[in-house]
Amino acid sequence: MEIRSQKLSEFFNIGRDRGWDVEKQAWTVHSLVNPEGRVLTLGDIMEGIPADLPLAKSGNRYGYPPLREQIVRSQRYEAEADDVLVTSGTQHANYLAFATLLEAGDEAIIESPSWEQPKVLCEALSVRARILPRRRELGWRFDLDELERLASPRVKLIYLCHPSNPTGAILDESELKAVCAVADRIGAYVVSDEIYRGLEWDGALSPSVVNLYERGVTTSSVSKTLGMSGLRLGWLATRDRAFRERCMELKYYISLHQQSRLDEVVALAALQPARYWELVKKTMDAARTNYELVAAWMKANGVFAWVPPGGGFLSFPRYDLDLPSWDLCVRLLDPPYRTYLIPGSCYGHEGHVRLGFGPGTPADTIRAGLAAVDRFVADHRGRPPRP
């Protein structure tokens, strides 16, 4: 298996190398890339975690049973605890799904723009990736007729990131059911990466594919909703027990069957349904200031324009400058601007940038970063910055 570096991971490395102080664990640039919720501390959820907890493996190959029960309840899955396989994060869950379902010569439908992992896995597994474009004029949704045309008999998997990374677009239940109907016609699975589910700006929880389709596979974790990315714990949920069993067997040869007992106990405390939704509400309340700062800037700046995200803390605005997005973002990292954005070319969409505004980024950093972008635009065009 050959894994090739992608532009997105390369630019993440550039941003870290130029803008992250390893010793202080802090940004030295105005970071406008954060997709995560408030970063919680152990003290925020420590109640009920025993100090004498053994730092051992959990001992259950599917994941600690009470944790799987709380995952189902907190995420409002119409499924059973036995439909959940605990993993070491969403990427681990996605890998298990792809590696279990796909063989060389198969086809998979992958949306774009989207997270880079599915495309990388298709390349590594010698699977043809058929690209389903999300379209700005459709609010960063995709054309369901176009999906239908891509759905050949060789397609074994349709991948979605829902809510979307990097656009923040959300599908409603009728749209997600339509995707499942296309998959059902050809006997394919729908793998829905729902790591941003629960962060919807209108307050209505977006639909989950595990609730709608027998071959629906939901993957997720606590890294975005709760800002617990240092806790390497996620899950895969599906009502297809035979498929879940195959994923569990593959998991053994990657990370052994068991998870860290510490990770499971901390996640269990955070995923108690009442506590979980209280923490999510605090995250959304904290994020609203940043969202409103970015929304006001989008209306006023005259160069960058967005489709407001429906969920999550990412957006994918286009811009009106005669400058490739990679060059734009590299130059923004340099003095005097010192601001970190992600080039749209990393997602295959030139003329755009990924802009994040998660509540882990202070509002003052958002203000300073947006002001620095204004200054760069004025310098590039040879004009004074807007007041």
Side-chain angles (χ1 to χ4, degrees), residues 327-342:
D327 295 351
L328 166 66
C329 293
V330 167
R331 288 171 63 180
L332 278 169
L333 282 169
D334 290 335
Y337 314 108
R338 300 294 285 155
T339 295
Y340 184 20
L341 293 169
I342 301 295

Side-chain angles (χ1 to χ4, degrees), residues 338-378:
R338 300 294 285 155
T339 295
Y340 184 20
L341 293 169
I342 301 295
S345 61
C346 293
Y347 292 88
H349 284 251
E350 192 51 86
H352 292 76
V353 295
R354 193 189 96 173
L355 190 158
F357 50 90
T361 302
D364 286 346
T365 297
I366 299 288
R367 290 188 186 93
L370 297 176
V373 174
D374 282 338
R375 180 177 178 183
F376 173 86
V377 169

Side-chain angles (χ1 to χ4, degrees), residues 130-344:
R130 302 184 67 122
I131 303 302
L132 175 65
R134 285 182 174 269
R135 300 193 179 279
R136 179 186 173 88
E137 63 271 21
L138 298 178
W140 288 120
R141 291 177 171 84
F142 42 77
D143 186 329
L144 290 168
D145 290 336
E146 196 163 6
L147 171 63
E148 185 74 53
R149 290 192 293 272
L150 291 173
S152 79
R154 300 184 70 88
V155 170
K156 299 297 188 292
L157 180 157
I158 299 172
Y159 170 85
L160 309 172
C161 186
H162 171 66
S164 162
N165 172 356
T167 70
I170 293 175
L171 300 177
D172 63 28
E173 185 169 317
S174 66
E175 291 168 324
L176 190 53
K177 281 182 175 179
V179 173
C180 294
V182 171
D184 191 42
R185 179 178 61 78
I186 57 175
Y189 285 74
V190 177
V191 177
S192 179
D193 180 336
E194 297 173 6
I195 197 169
Y196 296 99
R197 183 171 176 263
L199 301 176
E200 294 82 5
W201 286 102
D202 67 0
L205 185 63
S206 55
S208 177
V209 76
V210 72
N211 295 342
L212 302 179
Y213 183 43
E214 189 70 28
R215 288 188 292 272
V217 181
T218 289
T219 62
S220 193
S221 77
V222 293
S223 67
K224 299 300 187 288
T225 52
L226 299 183
M228 296 167 65
S229 57
L231 201 70
R232 299 316 302 157
L233 188 137
W235 56 85
L236 176 155
T238 180
R239 288 178 284 160
D240 186 329
R241 297 280 178 89
F243 167 72
R244 183 215 56 182
E245 199 72 11
R246 290 169 62 200
C247 288
M248 184 273 294
E249 295 295 351
L250 176 59
K251 176 186 170 185
Y252 176 79
Y253 295 100
I254 299 172
S255 58
L256 297 180
H257 282 146
Q258 301 93 342
Q259 300 298 129
S260 156
R261 185 80 174 107
L262 177 61
D263 285 357
E264 289 194 326
V265 171
V266 173
L268 177 64
L271 287 168
Q272 301 291 330
R275 173 181 282 182
Y276 174 76
W277 286 106
E278 178 186 0
L279 292 170
V280 170
K281 182 180 184 304
K282 289 180 178 178
T283 289
M284 295 303 289
D285 289 346
R288 192 162 296 279
T289 296
N290 287 355
Y291 178 97
E292 291 173 352
L293 283 171
V294 176
W297 182 78
M298 289 292 174
K299 289 181 179 179
N301 79 89
V303 173
F304 292 79
W306 72 351
V307 175
F313 308 129
L314 292 177
S315 62
F316 202 56
R318 66 183 177 191
Y319 63 87
D320 181 20
L321 290 173
D322 57 342
L323 192 64
S325 59
W326 186 279
D327 295 351
L328 166 66
C329 293
V330 167
R331 288 171 63 180
L332 278 169
L333 282 169
D334 290 335
Y337 314 108
R338 300 294 285 155
T339 295
Y340 184 20
L341 293 169
I342 301 295

Side-chain angles (χ1 to χ4, degrees), residues 43-177:
D44 292 328
I45 53 173
M46 187 65 184
E47 182 181 352
I49 300 177
D52 61 352
L53 175 73
L55 299 179
K57 293 180 289 188
S58 69
N60 188 290
R61 63 187 181 276
Y62 300 103
Y64 186 42
L67 172 61
R68 288 187 282 133
E69 182 65 38
Q70 295 305 336
I71 289 170
V72 169
R73 291 179 61 211
S74 66
Q75 305 306 302
R76 301 174 185 170
Y77 295 152
E78 297 169 13
E80 300 177 11
D82 285 345
D83 295 323
V84 174
L85 176 66
V86 177
T87 64
S88 299
T90 309
Q91 290 229 102
H92 187 198
N94 288 341
Y95 177 84
L96 294 175
F98 274 66
T100 297
L101 290 172
L102 297 173
E103 297 179 356
D106 287 341
E107 296 180 354
I109 296 176
I110 307 297
E111 63 180 7
S112 176
S114 190
W115 182 236
E116 67 181 353
Q117 184 196 21
K119 180 174 178 290
V120 171
L121 290 178
C122 286
E123 292 176 356
L125 296 167
S126 298
V127 168
R128 180 188 177 193
R130 302 184 67 122
I131 303 302
L132 175 65
R134 285 182 174 269
R135 300 193 179 279
R136 179 186 173 88
E137 63 271 21
L138 298 178
W140 288 120
R141 291 177 171 84
F142 42 77
D143 186 329
L144 290 168
D145 290 336
E146 196 163 6
L147 171 63
E148 185 74 53
R149 290 192 293 272
L150 291 173
S152 79
R154 300 184 70 88
V155 170
K156 299 297 188 292
L157 180 157
I158 299 172
Y159 170 85
L160 309 172
C161 186
H162 171 66
S164 162
N165 172 356
T167 70
I170 293 175
L171 300 177
D172 63 28
E173 185 169 317
S174 66
E175 291 168 324
L176 190 53
K177 281 182 175 179

